[in-house]
Amino acid sequence: NEQWISEGISVEERAKQAFEIRHTARLEARAMMQNKEEVAALQARDQEKYGNPDGPTFEYLVEKNRQKGLEDDAVYENIIGSSNRTNREYNKKFGVKQEKQEAQSP
């Protein structure tokens, strides 16, 4: 993100790029999972939660942030910030250890 800022990339475009990196990683991780039943369970969860078996769309995240009361660039900054966080419930269920992350200011 810092590099993109130095390159003059708009906050909206940075949010789209951060989202795409995260989304691609999600799909690649699922493709590498050996237990296809776990993959199906994750897809079912995402379908129920986001209306999409592959997780939230960029548009979904924009709308969710607007519903939280965020406006303008704050919507996109929040998407950038959330692109490097994982789901606590998933981590607990599957034993994923996560380092404590400091809150990042936009």
Side-chain angles (χ1 to χ4, degrees), residues 24-72:
T24 298
R26 169 191 229 114
L27 297 179
E28 288 177 356
R30 289 181 181 181
M32 289 187 279
M33 291 174 68
Q34 293 182 3
N35 187 330
K36 298 307 174 191
E37 290 177 8
E38 286 181 4
V39 173
L42 290 170
Q43 289 173 324
R45 171 201 169 268
D46 284 352
Q47 181 66 44
E48 183 178 327
K49 185 171 183 177
Y50 306 114
N52 180 353
D54 294 327
T57 63
F58 183 78
E59 293 77 16
Y60 174 94
L61 294 176
V62 168
E63 182 58 29
K64 180 180 174 190
N65 281 293
R66 288 188 175 141
Q67 289 176 1
K68 289 181 184 178
L70 298 178
E71 298 177 354
D72 304 320

